Amino acid sequence: MSAMKVGVIGIGNMGRSHALQLDKGLIDGATLTAVCGRKDQIEWVKNNMTGEVQCFEDEEAFFNESRIEAVIIVTPHYSHPELAIKAFAKGMHVLLEKPAGVYTKNVLEMNEAAALSGKVFGMMYNQRTNPLYQKLRELIQSGELGEIKRTNWIVTDWYRSQSYYDSSKWRATWKGEGGGVLLNQAPHQLDLWQWTTGLMPKRVHAFSRYGKYHDIEVEDDVTAYVEYENGATGVFIASTGEAPGTNRFEIVGDRGKMVIENEELTFYRLTQSEREFNASYTGGFGEPECWKIDIPVKGENSGHRGIIQNWTDTIVKGTPLLAPGEEGIKGLEMANAIYLSSWLNETIEWPIDADLYYEKLQEKINQSTIEKKNGSNMI
């Protein structure tokens, strides 16, 4: 069977990485046959690719003339839904870089187009390939933790310098990127937060600081408090201005606590349900017996390559898709709710008002005064 013909649109930092993996034959069953990007990006492709690759600067020509069967979209955030919809209309399978988009209104349209097309739609949620989070999800779904009471994720190891933000004109602007740490760095954690626990919030109250640590107009520091349908609560903290940063994910249930930190999964397992202990214990001071268990985690964290391979295998072999594209809206809806809550200083309930969010985002864009004299448009 001949390899599936894949194209990449957007040959910035991540686009180059994905293109190279395909060009070097690291993805079984797929080969790179076309790219689309700016003139300088095309020059890089010509100087670095070993295979025969068609090069396009015009996206319409890319979609109409490349004869690819599938496309990886690695362009600035706002364009993700629009380009995915075009690809589905051309009968192409799609793998989309995170985030799914900037606002949920057009992401819903993208999901509808994907469903109508019948093509395989994947999201580049490469952290889902991490055995740590896969094992955490498995344990929670099996009932080992019991009913979840609280989630807490501190993810501040996304440190970025001012020169990082200055490197590209689109970065850290409402018009170019649509947000800051929530849309650029933390989409993986927002996805894993709900994917591992199986819980989506029903309300959120959030506090964001814009340009707290950098000369930017979007948020670089966020604290969000959420409530779930079952009464559990959660806190999500993210920043690009702390060094050294922390990455600690903690989930508490009535059968104990699970913690991921420093690439280790620890289960503080109660020998008896806390709720049962609370109802039956008569000794005053006391608490359930707890065992500290270092959970063995096996397997490769295959990252971006793993997601591309899984997407290819789904198309070619019918393998279950690890990160369905339609699920991209979940993390984005959480991000939109956090933004809206911080803008309005109100508690936001699900489902969020997508029209109101879009309106407020346009206000942010129209009020923007930032001008970047240096930097490129590279992703």
Side-chain angles (χ1 to χ4, degrees):
M1 183 181 295
S2 59
M4 177 177 66
K5 298 177 180 178
V6 180
V8 176
I9 181 168
I11 310 296
N13 291 334
M14 290 312 306
R16 292 178 180 183
S17 174
H18 303 334
L20 281 171
Q21 289 183 341
L22 287 160
D23 183 65
K24 291 179 178 179
L26 299 180
I27 309 299
D28 294 335
T31 185
L32 182 71
T33 60
V35 297
C36 182
R38 299 189 315 270
K39 185 175 182 180
D40 60 303
Q41 296 174 342
I42 295 303
E43 285 301 313
W44 180 89
V45 170
K46 291 178 179 179
N47 292 329
N48 289 275
M49 297 297 165
T50 59
E52 293 186 12
V53 180
Q54 295 175 280
C55 296
F56 298 87
E57 293 182 43
D58 178 73
E59 69 180 48
E60 293 300 326
F62 172 74
F63 282 116
N64 291 325
E65 301 171 18
S66 64
R67 296 185 180 180
I68 56 175
E69 301 165 79
V71 62
I72 303 176
I73 298 172
V74 205
T75 53
H77 302 163
Y78 278 101
S79 64
H80 288 183
E82 174 191 353
L83 292 175
I85 290 171
K86 282 187 177 182
F88 291 131
K90 295 295 181 181
M92 299 174 185
H93 304 285
V94 172
L95 180 57
L96 188 63
E97 258 294 352
K98 55 81 181 169
V102 175
Y103 51 92
T104 58
K105 281 188 66 173
N106 61 352
V107 172
L108 284 168
E109 295 172 1
M110 174 178 68
N111 286 354
E112 291 173 2
L116 288 173
S117 74
K119 298 299 178 180
V120 175
F121 179 28
M123 278 292 300
M124 190 64 79
Y125 279 147
N126 51 284
Q127 288 300 312
R128 289 194 185 189
T129 71
N130 190 327
L132 278 170
Y133 297 109
Q134 292 180 348
K135 176 61 73 172
L136 175 65
R137 184 173 189 260
E138 175 189 326
L139 289 169
I140 291 174
Q141 288 189 336
S142 71
E144 284 285 341
L145 194 59
E147 185 174 16
I148 292 177
K149 296 179 174 181
R150 182 176 62 82
T151 67
N152 188 6
W153 204 332
I154 302 173
V155 52
T156 58
D157 61 344
W158 287 118
Y159 182 79
R160 295 292 186 270
S161 67
Q162 185 63 43
S163 61
Y164 165 83
Y165 290 111
D166 292 342
S167 66
S168 297
K169 293 181 179 179
W170 66 280
R171 287 197 188 280
T173 64
W174 293 114
K175 182 178 180 180
E177 190 167 19
V181 64
L182 288 174
L183 279 194
N184 196 320
Q185 286 79 33
H188 291 299
Q189 283 72 37
L190 290 175
D191 173 60
L192 292 172
W193 195 16
Q194 59 81 27
W195 184 68
T196 57
T197 62
L199 297 177
M200 277 288 289
K202 70 172 184 177
R203 64 174 59 94
V204 60
H205 200 110
F207 305 89
S208 300
R209 295 288 299 276
Y210 306 95
K212 180 178 181 179
Y213 298 113
H214 306 90
D215 182 19
I216 57 176
E217 65 182 10
V218 296
E219 85 291 347
D220 55 5
D221 189 77
V222 173
T223 300
Y225 166 80
V226 302
E227 296 176 356
Y228 300 103
E229 194 68 44
N230 71 342
T233 60
V235 176
F236 187 85
I237 298 171
S239 176
T240 57
E242 297 183 16
T246 297
N247 191 340
R248 179 182 174 91
F249 187 23
E250 185 173 300
I251 309 98
V252 180
D254 71 333
R255 295 304 303 258
K257 175 175 67 176
M258 293 186 186
V259 178
I260 288 183
E261 188 173 24
N262 299 323
E263 296 300 312
E264 295 178 347
L265 173 57
T266 305
F267 186 9
Y268 298 86
R269 187 181 187 278
L270 301 181
T271 59
Q272 179 184 13
S273 162
E274 181 278 326
R275 292 288 79 196
E276 293 174 1
F277 178 88
N278 180 70
S280 61
Y281 183 68
T282 58
F285 290 103
E287 60 184 54
E289 181 182 356
C290 178
W291 300 343
K292 180 183 177 183
I293 305 171
D294 296 323
I295 302 295
V297 176
K298 299 178 181 179
E300 176 192 5
N301 183 2
S302 55
H304 296 99
R305 180 178 58 81
I307 290 293
I308 300 173
Q309 187 64 67
N310 171 255
W311 173 66
T312 300
D313 289 344
T314 301
I315 297 167
V316 176
K317 304 175 183 178
T319 302
L321 195 60
L322 179 59
E326 292 84 356
E327 294 184 9
I329 197 169
K330 294 181 179 180
L332 180 63
E333 190 169 22
M334 285 194 279
N336 284 184
I338 291 170
Y339 283 126
L340 198 55
S341 175
S342 62
W343 292 342
L344 302 177
N345 192 25
E346 294 178 1
T347 297
I348 302 299
E349 300 207 6
W350 263 255
I352 69 168
D353 187 331
D355 291 321
L356 177 61
Y357 181 79
Y358 181 76
E359 175 188 329
K360 293 300 179 182
L361 176 61
Q362 298 313 302
E363 289 179 7
K364 290 289 182 183
I365 293 172
N366 294 333
Q367 292 166 4
S368 173
T369 59
I370 195 166
E371 291 186 15
K372 291 190 178 184
K373 297 180 180 179
N374 300 316
S376 69
N377 292 316
M378 183 179 291
I379 299 174

